[in-house]
Amino acid sequence: MESETRYIGGWSFQPNRFFFSYPVIPAESHPPSKMKASLMLLLAPLVSAAPTVEHRQASQSIDALFKAKGKEFYGTATDQGRLQAGRNAAIIEANFGQVTPENSMKWESLNPRQGQYNWGQADYLVNWATERNKTIRGHTFVWHSQLAGWVNQINNRDQLTRVIQEHIRTVGGRYKGKIYHWDVINEMFNEDGSLRNSVFSRVLGESFVKIAFDAARETDPSAKLYINDYNLDQPNYAKVTRGMVANVNKWLSQGIPIDGIGTQGHLQSGQGNGLAQTIKVLAATSVKEVAVTELDIQNNNSNDYVAVTRGCLEEPKCRAITVWGVRDQDSWRPQGNPLLFDSNYNAKANYNAIVQLLSQ
Ligand code: G3I
C-alpha cells in the first residue's frame, strides 16, 4: 500500500516518517550531535505545530468519498475499550466520519440500577468523537436486550411510561445537541411483522412507540429519531412489509415523530443485493430517510459491500452507512471475517472495492 506524502506549510513528510527524521540529510555524512541539535532547535516549533499523523492503513477515506457523493457519512461502531486499543482510533479518525457506541449507551450499561447512572464509557466516546468532528449515532434508548433488570420487572403502565420518559430525558438531555441520530427503538418486530414480546409491548402494547418518540423529540429536537431493526434485507419479507413498512406509515399518519428507518444489515455472503433492494422499499414509506446502521457481512467477497454501498448511493433517502466494527477479530461475530479491516488493521479488498466504486 503506497503511503502518501502530505504537505504542511511547505514541509513534506510521509506518514510515520517525519521530515524531521532527516530523509534528505543522511545521518552518516554529518556528525549527528551538533548538526542534530541545531536542526532540532530550528525545527522544534514546526514539529510541535505539525499534527501527528498516524498510519491510516487505507488508501483513501470511504467517508470522504461517500460525502463527495452527497451522502452524510460512512461510519463504524466502537467504544472506549476499542478506541484505546491497537490502531482503531487512528483508522476511525482517518477513514470514518461517524461512530456508534457499540455497548456504552445501552440501558443496562448506563442505568443498571434505578437512579444510578454509569456515564464513563459513553462520555468517553462522545468526547472523543466531538473533539474530532465525528458524527454520533446514539444507540439505543428502548431495546428488549441488554436492558436493566429492574425495568424488566415493571408491570404497571403509568410506572413504565414514566420510567421510559425519564430514561430518554436523562440520557438524551445529557448529550443534547451532540447526537445526530438516536435509535429510539431497537428490534421491536418479530420475523412475521408482529410486535416482539418484551416488557414494553406486554405492559404498554404498541403505545410505547409514541411514548418513546415523543419523549425523544421533546428532549432533543435537533436529533433525527430512528426506528432500527435487523433482517430488513429482503424486500418482500414479512418483517419488512407487515412489520416496519405498514407500522411506520401508520405511526407517521398518527403524528409520531419517526424521522428515519435503520436497517442493521447483519448479512451473509450473497445478501448485499437483497439489502440494496430493501433500502428502496423502506425509503418508499413516508419516512424522511433511511440508513444502514450495523453492516457486517460474513464470508463476503466484496461484491456484497459494493452492492449495499451502491444501493444506498442510488436511493436519495438513504443518507448513511455504518459498519459494525473496524477489524474482523473484534467483531461480535468474527467468523467469516465480516468487516473491512483485517486483524493486522490492514484495509481489505472489500474496503478497496468500496473506494473504487466511490471513485467512479
Ligand atoms: O462488559 C462485560 C464484561 O464486564 C464481561 O467481562 C464480558 C464477559 O462476559 O462481557 C461484557 O459484556 C459483553 C458486552 O458485549 C460488552 O463487550 C456482553 O457479554 C456481550 O453480550 C455484549 O455483546 C454485544 C451484543 O450487542 C449484546 O447483545 C456486542 O458487543 C454488540 O456488538 C452487539 O450489538 C448488537 C446491537 O446493539 C443491536 N443489533 C445487533 C448487534 C449484534 O448483536
Side-chain angles (χ1 to χ4, degrees):
M1 178 170 26
E2 267 311 300
S3 58
E4 58 194 277
T5 303
R6 295 192 179 166
Y7 294 84
I8 294 187
W11 290 92
S12 72
F13 66 81
Q14 296 186 336
N16 290 342
R17 287 180 55 213
F18 259 117
F19 181 77
F20 175 64
S21 57
Y22 314 119
V24 186
I25 313 163
E28 65 279 0
S29 65
H30 294 281
S33 58
K34 253 205 274 87
M35 166 62 81
K36 203 169 179 185
S38 52
L39 263 178
M40 302 250 311
L41 280 176
L42 180 70
L43 295 173
L46 283 169
V47 172
S48 59
T52 56
V53 173
E54 296 276 352
H55 192 39
R56 52 178 311 111
Q57 305 286 131
S59 57
Q60 292 185 70
S61 160
I62 52 177
D63 177 66
L65 292 167
F66 206 40
K67 282 186 171 108
K69 296 285 186 187
K71 300 298 179 180
E72 292 180 357
F73 56 76
Y74 218 120
T76 188
T78 191
D79 245 327
Q80 180 174 8
R82 298 285 186 226
L83 288 168
Q84 293 176 323
R87 310 197 63 73
N88 291 304
I91 289 175
I92 296 173
E93 198 169 337
N95 303 304
F96 293 103
Q98 170 268 336
V99 292
T100 303
E102 187 173 4
N103 288 293
S104 63
M105 282 190 191
K106 293 169 179 174
W107 203 319
E108 179 186 61
S109 307
L110 280 175
N111 184 210
R113 273 168 285 288
Q114 191 158 22
Q116 179 210 327
Y117 284 87
N118 302 334
W119 297 113
Q121 298 211 13
D123 282 358
Y124 183 94
L125 178 121
V126 171
N127 295 337
W128 186 92
T130 310
E131 284 157 15
R132 292 163 182 78
N133 296 323
K134 300 297 180 184
T135 302
I136 305 170
R137 292 196 83 255
H139 177 77
T140 174
F141 285 141
V142 174
W143 186 28
H144 69 281
S145 182
Q146 288 185 283
L147 178 64
W150 65 273
V151 181
N152 256 321
Q153 306 310 315
I154 299 172
N155 54 22
N156 172 280
R157 287 182 65 84
D158 295 344
Q159 185 192 0
L160 186 55
T161 300
R162 281 195 308 278
V163 161
I164 291 171
Q165 292 168 333
E166 186 195 330
H167 183 71
I168 293 175
R169 288 172 185 149
T170 305
V171 177
R174 184 180 184 87
Y175 302 120
K176 185 175 181 178
K178 295 180 178 176
I179 307 292
Y180 189 60
H181 290 176
W182 266 111
D183 287 336
V184 176
I185 293 178
N186 192 42
E187 302 177 7
M188 66 172 288
F189 295 111
N190 291 321
E191 300 309 296
D192 64 2
S194 63
L195 282 193
R196 174 192 295 275
N197 176 12
S198 72
V199 64
F200 305 111
S201 58
R202 279 195 307 277
V203 175
L204 294 165
E206 69 177 62
S207 71
F208 78 91
V209 175
K210 178 172 173 49
I211 292 164
F213 275 92
D214 285 351
R217 179 68 91 218
E218 168 223 315
T219 300
D220 187 351
S222 70
K224 294 181 177 188
L225 306 182
Y226 270 68
I227 181 168
N228 192 48
D229 216 323
Y230 62 89
N231 285 356
L232 304 178
D233 38 59
Q234 297 302 325
N236 304 314
Y237 191 51
K239 190 175 192 175
V240 171
T241 53
R242 286 207 295 269
M244 192 61 85
V245 169
N247 283 289
V248 165
N249 280 335
K250 175 184 66 184
W251 291 324
L252 285 167
S253 69
Q254 295 167 351
I256 297 176
I258 301 171
D259 299 313
I261 296 173
T263 171
Q264 292 179 8
H266 296 294
L267 306 181
Q268 298 298 324
S269 179
Q271 292 184 319
N273 284 321
L275 179 52
Q277 291 155 26
T278 309
I279 287 170
K280 290 187 175 49
V281 171
L282 299 172
T285 63
S286 329
V287 82
K288 295 193 197 80
E289 56 185 72
V290 301
V292 178
T293 56
E294 304 181 17
L295 186 60
D296 52 28
I297 310 175
Q298 286 188 314
N299 307 314
N300 70 81
N301 55 15
S302 303
N303 296 342
D304 291 300
Y305 269 103
V306 168
V308 173
T309 306
R310 183 183 289 115
C312 188
L313 270 181
E314 291 170 352
E315 170 48 57
K317 277 190 180 179
C318 184
R319 306 307 305 145
I321 296 176
T322 301
V323 294
W324 205 240
V326 171
R327 66 171 184 163
D328 290 332
Q329 76 183 63
D330 295 336
S331 167
W332 69 288
R333 55 175 195 160
Q335 317 80 358
N337 302 319
L339 294 169
L340 298 174
F341 288 79
D342 67 21
S343 300
N344 298 320
Y345 297 101
N346 294 313
K348 294 161 56 178
N350 50 22
Y351 184 97
N352 297 326
I354 295 171
V355 167
Q356 210 176 353
L357 170 74
L358 296 176
S359 304
Q360 290 164 7

